[in-house]
Amino acid sequence: MSDYCIEIDGDTLTQVETARKSIMERYCETLKAGLPMDEMRNSGTYFYLESIEEYLGGAWVKVTGHGEMLMFGGYSYLGLNRHPKINEAAVEAIARYGTGAHGARLLAGTTEIHRELESSIARFKKTESAALFSSGFLANLSAITFLVGRGDIVICDKLDHASILDGCMMSGARMIRFRHNDMGHLESCLRETAGHKGRRLVIVDGVYSMDGDIADLPAISGLCKKHGALLMVDEAHSVGMLGATGRGIEEHFGLPPDTIDVKMGTVSKSIPSLGGYIASSARLCDLLRHTGRGFIYSATVPPASAAAAVAGIKVIEEEPWHVQNLHRNMAYFANRLRQEGFNFLESPTAIFPIVFGDNLRTSTMSKGCQSRGLYVQAIPHPVVPEGTARLRAAVNANHTLEDLDFAIKTLQDSRAAMESLG
């Protein structure tokens, strides 16, 4: 054997390879500090990256190693995944265009179906135009880094999505964070920066994905107009969920469609496809298509996904009962949680943060629910503030009232089992 090799269980590795492995292991140890994955795996409460084998009828799924489970952890708020009209549109697009996008939009990645989707989004959101990105994350990063830069100020809610915070930091603009939905604090931030010569941009989520609450859009838009700041709203979760026809937060509050200057959204939640968008003026969208790094340097969504999104928007417009069912289920589930004494932060949306406080209680509850057939996941600290660990339950339009009662019974039984352990 060479002097430059060592023997491990009959196999040989060079000393360089062994040293490299050791460096990587130590590096990963430093990276995982504060993360609860290993602790959850050791206690048998880890329930992430699970494989869904099959989507069954309604809101039920078959999960590898768990069998049939009632889905309470997904973003398909309108239950449109596998809708026959949407499936058919995707299949037709594959027959016409194939499975890939073949490039970035500026080069070989644009098809007629991509243009049709942008027009559909603009019509649905009542804007002049829309620019499609391959993900909502890229849409936020691209728009924010275009709208503000060094010498500018961006003001965002402390609970804004990670993609917003990343975009703000990447932009080089001065970032100011105001207390969550605190209009007095937002106004003080705007007043304190009133003499600034650069651009000022305010960014909020429409619906906050961990707490399930809604941005105070009437007050926020009023403050932005009063102080001359541009307003951008991330509607990833609010489109399809809010408003009588699912058009989002402006419709929810009965505000005109030009209340928000820059509307960001996705076609991967209520609309069952892939991608994100910016809907705004024709000029802004045109500029984004030629300067947005996420648009220029990323392959676009496959044509089949774009076709599915076009069909999904049509279904929302032509079949209003999906939104109506969702709203019925939201109200019913909130009332049942309230009756049974669960703390869900009085969420008014389809996202229910069922708070249990510490990580151990929450992971125990999660395991109890999963063993009883309820697909719901624990959201531990540090993902949420310490002392607010929770189950994050998401109601959708496909849930029957019997499904919702089953979920409540499962939560009750799991709580009783947890409390019996002391």
Side-chain angles (χ1 to χ4, degrees):
M1 182 179 296
S2 167
D3 290 338
Y4 296 96
C5 295
I6 59 176
E7 187 171 342
I8 302 177
D9 296 330
D11 295 327
T12 58
L13 293 172
T14 66
Q15 291 179 343
V16 172
E17 289 171 335
T18 303
R20 184 64 181 166
K21 181 180 179 182
S22 177
I23 291 170
M24 181 58 70
E25 288 174 349
R26 293 198 304 271
Y27 194 81
C28 288
E29 283 299 312
T30 65
L31 291 174
K32 78 170 189 178
L35 296 176
M37 294 122 42
D38 290 344
E39 178 185 342
M40 296 178 77
R41 287 189 178 105
N42 292 336
S43 64
T45 58
Y46 184 86
F47 189 74
Y48 305 98
L49 300 174
E50 295 289 336
S51 298
I52 296 174
E53 296 180 16
E54 183 181 0
Y55 286 86
L56 306 172
W60 289 80
V61 296
K62 185 177 181 182
V63 182
T64 301
H66 297 273
E68 294 185 7
M69 303 185 76
L70 179 63
M71 174 56 72
F72 255 72
Y75 298 146
S76 182
Y77 300 119
L78 296 181
L80 299 183
N81 195 34
R82 297 195 311 154
H83 189 291
K85 292 180 181 177
I86 299 172
N87 283 4
E88 182 180 352
V91 171
E92 290 178 357
I94 288 176
R96 182 177 179 184
Y97 297 107
T99 57
H102 314 299
R105 285 287 305 280
L106 276 178
L107 303 177
T110 295
T111 67
E112 284 300 313
I113 200 69
H114 291 99
R115 294 184 180 277
E116 183 180 357
L117 176 54
E118 289 176 331
S119 296
S120 296
I121 292 167
R123 185 192 70 248
F124 189 73
K125 293 301 298 173
K126 299 183 179 181
T127 60
E128 291 180 353
S129 186
L132 178 68
F133 294 80
S134 53
S135 73
F137 208 106
L138 281 178
N140 268 334
L141 260 61
S142 299
I144 295 168
T145 53
F146 171 71
L147 291 169
V148 291
R150 295 189 184 279
D152 298 326
I153 293 175
V154 59
I155 304 172
C156 58
D157 190 291
K158 279 199 170 182
L159 294 189
D160 276 351
H161 190 265
S163 59
I164 295 175
L165 301 182
D166 285 358
C168 292
M169 290 186 286
M170 289 174 60
S171 72
R174 176 188 170 197
M175 181 169 62
I176 301 173
R177 301 174 71 181
F178 66 93
R179 291 185 294 271
H180 177 53
N181 249 349
D182 186 330
M183 297 301 99
H185 193 200
L186 171 58
E187 181 157 30
S188 70
C189 293
L190 288 165
R191 281 177 174 167
E192 289 169 7
T193 59
H196 184 70
K197 295 181 180 180
R199 292 167 290 191
R200 291 188 299 168
L201 173 67
V202 173
I203 312 176
V204 298
D205 282 10
V207 170
Y208 291 88
S209 61
M210 286 300 164
D211 284 13
D213 56 341
I214 303 170
D216 187 354
L217 183 61
I220 294 168
S221 61
L223 288 173
C224 287
K225 287 180 173 64
K226 177 181 176 181
H227 294 278
L230 198 71
L231 174 60
M232 176 176 171
V233 178
D234 179 332
E235 289 205 82
H237 292 272
S238 54
V239 168
M241 184 193 297
L242 297 186
T245 66
R247 280 180 166 78
I249 192 169
E250 290 170 323
E251 184 180 57
H252 172 79
F253 284 111
L255 296 171
D258 61 351
T259 300
I260 302 168
D261 300 304
V262 183
K263 306 176 189 183
M264 176 271 171
T266 67
V267 291
S268 58
K269 294 177 176 65
S270 289
I271 301 167
S273 185
L274 175 69
Y277 63 81
I278 297 295
S280 187
S281 69
R283 180 59 174 159
L284 177 62
C285 291
D286 185 53
L287 289 169
L288 272 177
R289 293 188 190 100
H290 292 85
T291 60
R293 295 172 73 85
F295 192 95
I296 298 172
Y297 298 108
S298 179
T300 189
V301 300
S305 298
V310 171
I313 292 172
K314 288 180 181 177
V315 167
I316 295 172
E317 292 174 320
E318 296 172 359
E319 300 179 5
W321 57 86
H322 299 291
V323 175
Q324 294 164 7
N325 286 349
L326 176 62
H327 290 175
R328 176 206 65 184
N329 288 347
M330 287 159 48
Y332 183 84
F333 194 63
N335 188 52
R336 293 287 283 114
L337 286 172
R338 196 176 294 114
Q339 289 173 347
E340 301 305 328
F342 287 102
N343 174 15
F344 63 99
L345 304 181
E346 290 299 318
S347 167
T349 67
I351 299 169
F352 292 89
I354 308 174
V355 178
F356 292 96
D358 64 69
N359 284 0
L360 179 59
R361 282 172 56 82
T362 304
S363 60
T364 302
M365 274 294 300
S366 178
K367 184 178 181 180
C369 288
Q370 291 145 16
S371 68
R372 292 172 173 84
L374 187 64
Y375 193 113
V376 64
Q377 292 162 325
I379 308 297
H381 171 74
V383 179
V384 292
E386 190 169 5
T388 68
R390 66 199 62 180
L391 300 183
R392 184 184 179 281
V395 168
N396 69 55
N398 277 349
H399 286 132
T400 65
L401 296 184
E402 291 76 18
D403 288 338
L404 300 178
D405 287 337
F406 170 80
I408 292 293
K409 179 67 163 54
T410 301
L411 288 165
Q412 289 174 313
D413 291 347
S414 299
R415 180 173 61 182
M418 176 186 66
E419 291 174 348
S420 71
L421 299 174

